[in-house]
Amino acid sequence: MREYTTVIGLEVHVQLNTESKAFCSDKNQFGDAPNINIGPVSLALPGTLPVLNTEQIKSSIKLAYALNSKINLVNGFDRKNYFYPDLPKGYQITQDRLPICEGGILKFHSEGQLKSVRIHHVHMEEDAGKNSHDLHPTYSMVDINRAGTPLVEIVTEPDLRSAQEVHDFIAALQQLVRYLDISDGNMEEGSLRCDVNVSVMPKGSSTYGERNEIKNVNSKKFAKTAVEYESKRQIKILEQGGAITMNTLLFNPETGTTKPMRTKEEANDYRYFPDPDLPPLQLTQEYIDDIVAQVELLPWTAKTLLIDEHHLSEYDAEIISRDKGTVQFFRNFQISKDQHHASTLSSFIINKVLPFCQENNKVLDDMQVDNISKFILLLDSEKISKSAGLNAMSELVLKSTEPMDLEKVAKDLNLIQSEDQDFLDDLIDSILSKNIDKVKAYQNGKKGLLGFFMGQVMGQAKGKANPKILTTKLSKALEEKDL
Ligand code: ADP
Ligand code: MG
């Protein structure tokens, strides 16, 4: 069998989190009872006219900025005509000739490598309503609530080369729209959906094969499975001497397979034309600059900030920056500005706070920031041993709802390392006496054994030994022990 390269381009629909719909004041809200957010415009009653929602434009501008797209100062709306019960107007308002953004790039990590995908363009449009064919035994149901939900559609160049890359690209885009706070990016609820275009070509070739388009994929995992299945299907046809014909496919999550929805011959003729109800949109550079200035953080600037300003490790910065809320949570701590405490704080967030929130269905806002802050300071102090403190007190701090007196808790738990470390002298003496051959080896040059003795004493001191004082005392005792 010949080897093949899979080529994928995506058309990603993102529902914007605006208060109202794209062209009227109906509420833009997922999950409401069917057919309640349906004023005259959503229902396309005769005589109604669309009014543009400026929030949709602002969201598109923010996205354009993040993707490094060129914004068309003049852009316009077109009608895409087709007939379907979930589309009362008989056309969808979209941008066909002149989209708001052209070009751009999104960089993302996949399997340890930095990849980049070119953006062809981003356009604004509106969602249709929703038909359900499985809610009633004999009727199909139509819910118009979704009709008119503002969308941006991001169309990539065919730059993706594997199912995993598709998965990781969607994840990066999802992270980006959440950072920009233009969408919740929730794929299960359909806030982010992809049309996945797949073709294959012999390895080394530079001519793309004929593509098939898998419609409306609503999970990263499904997108991955769909690409894997579809590229295998196409390769099999080519290997058997057949040819790929351009089809629109549906993905079945239950079987992990694709099946034809319509062929090229049955393709819709949308008869696009400029929407006479919506004059061209004219933007000024000042307006754009104003909106762009509102963008606080992007995933990649957040990561750099955590490394440069807070001196976090690459690993910690990567995890903290996955979600903008976590970055803000971390940066809101005064102690995050101190290099010494920043790393203790970030490990505490990564290893304790985030898992705690996930397991207990809590959000970062529920956490007692003051207690956490005091706890980190205590851990970083000489007063208690960090590992003993983390073991004994993390739960209490995470579960706390009231301000805590952490030093008192540490004292009650017998964790305070006494200022007076004289008790160590006897302990050291007894441990040295029990390990005479190791002391001899130490004195003969095996200085690495200091670690062994440290471990022994720390263990028996049950968290009360101050490591600094212990090191000094122990080195001295080892040198001076009479054999
Ligand atoms: P159309 O205008 O017919 O919708 P486009 O050129 O706009 O087609 O492409 C639509 C999507 O299909 C884009 O995301 C693009 O990257 C992708 N695409 C185009 N050609 C191929 C191909 N040969 N293989 C995979 N994806 C492709
Ligand atoms: Mg297209």
Side-chain angles (χ1 to χ4, degrees):
M1 194 179 95
R2 282 181 297 176
E3 283 202 73
Y4 289 85
T5 302
T6 306
V7 174
I8 310 109
L10 300 177
E11 295 159 276
V12 187
H13 294 86
V14 177
Q15 286 185 336
L16 301 174
N17 58 3
T18 55
E19 288 281 315
S20 56
K21 291 191 183 179
F23 301 106
C24 69
S25 60
D26 285 346
K27 210 159 73 156
N28 170 29
Q29 179 66 52
F30 176 84
D32 276 355
N35 296 312
I36 63 167
N37 303 317
I38 50 166
V41 173
S42 292
L43 286 175
L45 298 186
T48 53
L49 289 169
V51 177
L52 192 55
N53 182 346
T54 47
E55 294 304 317
Q56 182 169 18
I57 303 165
K58 289 180 187 166
S59 300
S60 309
I61 291 174
K62 288 178 186 169
L63 186 60
Y65 164 70
L67 294 174
N68 215 355
S69 288
K70 171 179 157 276
I71 295 178
N72 287 321
L73 291 180
V74 179
N75 58 85
F77 290 95
D78 302 283
R79 289 185 182 181
K80 177 179 179 177
N81 299 279
Y82 65 97
F83 175 78
Y84 213 57
D86 61 11
L87 190 73
K89 289 198 296 296
Y91 61 86
Q92 180 190 19
I93 303 177
T94 183
Q95 296 194 298
D96 182 49
R97 297 150 307 137
L98 258 180
I100 184 157
C101 324
E102 281 180 80
I105 202 151
L106 181 62
K107 296 190 177 154
F108 65 104
H109 287 275
S110 186
E111 297 181 293
Q113 299 231 19
L114 185 66
K115 305 270 174 183
S116 64
V117 164
R118 290 167 301 151
I119 305 299
H120 182 270
H121 75 268
V122 180
H123 67 257
M124 298 186 277
E125 60 183 30
E126 59 174 339
D127 215 340
K130 194 171 166 56
N131 294 330
S132 300
H133 307 290
D134 52 5
L135 296 178
H136 189 279
T138 47
Y139 293 106
S140 282
M141 304 296 221
V142 187
D143 179 6
I144 302 298
N145 280 351
R146 197 177 73 178
T149 297
L151 299 177
V152 285
E153 180 175 335
I154 300 141
V155 180
T156 78
E157 297 286 358
D159 288 348
L160 293 155
R161 289 292 177 273
S162 73
Q164 188 60 42
E165 280 185 23
V166 169
H167 176 281
D168 298 339
F169 174 84
I170 299 171
L173 198 56
Q174 193 175 32
Q175 183 194 32
L176 180 61
V177 299
R178 288 173 175 165
Y179 257 79
L180 293 169
D181 199 16
I182 61 174
S183 170
D184 64 22
N186 191 336
M187 295 188 82
E188 295 99 83
E189 292 180 355
S191 305
L192 198 151
R193 324 190 288 267
C194 300
D195 297 341
V196 185
N197 297 273
V198 184
S199 67
V200 295
M201 61 184 178
K203 202 166 188 166
S205 164
S206 54
T207 315
Y208 293 151
E210 188 73 85
R211 73 186 150 104
N212 274 241
E213 178 178 6
I214 310 155
K215 279 279 176 202
N216 251 324
V217 181
N218 67 349
S219 102
K220 297 188 279 284
K221 207 172 103 216
F222 294 167
K224 190 173 166 211
T225 317
V227 171
E228 278 160 359
Y229 176 82
E230 182 56 20
S231 63
K232 279 199 198 110
R233 186 186 73 84
Q234 292 183 15
I235 290 169
K236 196 167 157 205
I237 294 175
L238 294 176
E239 282 296 299
Q240 289 169 347
I244 306 299
T245 49
M246 198 161 160
N247 284 319
T248 305
L249 311 173
L250 280 179
F251 176 69
N252 180 341
E254 262 140 55
T255 56
T257 59
T258 58
K259 72 162 199 277
M261 182 169 128
R262 55 177 182 254
T263 62
K264 197 177 183 182
E265 286 69 41
E266 298 159 329
N268 290 320
D269 173 6
Y270 294 120
R271 293 172 295 116
Y272 286 100
F273 65 89
D275 193 320
D277 294 338
L278 289 158
L281 177 64
Q282 306 223 12
L283 301 169
T284 63
Q285 194 56 47
E286 286 118 286
Y287 182 77
I288 293 170
D289 294 344
D290 264 7
I291 308 297
V292 166
Q294 294 167 18
V295 177
E296 303 156 340
L297 268 185
L298 296 169
W300 47 92
T301 55
K303 191 173 164 189
T304 312
L305 200 72
L306 293 170
I307 295 172
D308 292 352
E309 282 187 19
H310 300 274
H311 309 282
L312 294 192
S313 65
E314 167 95 19
Y315 174 83
D316 280 18
E318 170 70 35
I319 298 181
I320 298 275
S321 67
R322 274 185 198 156
D323 163 62
K324 189 168 80 169
T326 313
V327 178
Q328 286 165 338
F329 181 74
F330 171 79
R331 278 166 59 82
N332 279 341
F333 281 89
Q334 198 57 38
I335 54 168
S336 72
K337 297 184 178 58
D338 181 310
Q339 184 172 353
H340 181 51
H341 304 309
S343 70
T344 309
L345 176 63
S346 80
S347 338
F348 187 68
I349 293 175
I350 293 169
N351 299 317
K352 304 283 183 186
V353 180
L354 294 176
F356 175 83
C357 286
Q358 185 150 37
E359 281 156 27
N360 296 284
N361 235 333
K362 298 224 183 271
V363 292
L364 292 174
D365 276 348
D366 298 332
M367 305 309 292
Q368 277 283 322
V369 173
D370 275 352
N371 289 345
I372 294 178
S373 193
K374 282 187 275 179
F375 186 43
I376 302 300
L377 289 175
L378 185 63
L379 290 173
D380 282 340
S381 75
E382 304 272 297
K383 289 178 189 145
I384 67 173
S385 122
K386 200 181 225 176
S387 59
L390 276 168
N391 278 335
M393 293 175 67
S394 293
E395 274 286 289
L396 290 170
V397 173
L398 292 168
K399 287 189 172 154
S400 66
T401 49
E402 301 293 325
M404 288 169 79
D405 181 347
L406 283 150
E407 293 214 13
K408 182 171 180 309
V409 175
K411 203 173 282 166
D412 292 348
L413 290 169
N414 217 0
L415 290 169
I416 300 287
Q417 295 172 339
S418 63
E419 302 268 306
D420 174 11
Q421 295 271 307
D422 288 350
F423 76 99
L424 283 176
D425 296 336
D426 287 346
L427 195 55
I428 291 174
D429 202 46
S430 96
I431 286 173
L432 261 50
S433 300
K434 276 185 215 139
N435 294 280
I436 289 297
D437 43 339
K438 289 210 170 68
V439 179
K440 213 177 270 173
Y442 180 91
Q443 291 184 349
N444 288 333
K446 269 189 103 179
K447 301 290 178 213
L449 282 167
L450 180 66
F452 163 79
F453 286 107
M454 284 286 287
Q456 294 288 310
V457 183
M458 294 289 266
Q460 296 203 21
K462 302 209 168 59
K464 284 192 186 164
N466 176 322
K468 249 193 219 147
I469 297 176
L470 175 60
T471 313
T472 318
K473 280 183 183 286
L474 194 55
S475 315
K476 189 155 174 280
L478 279 164
E479 294 297 343
E480 291 173 0
K481 178 87 182 162
D482 270 339
L483 294 171

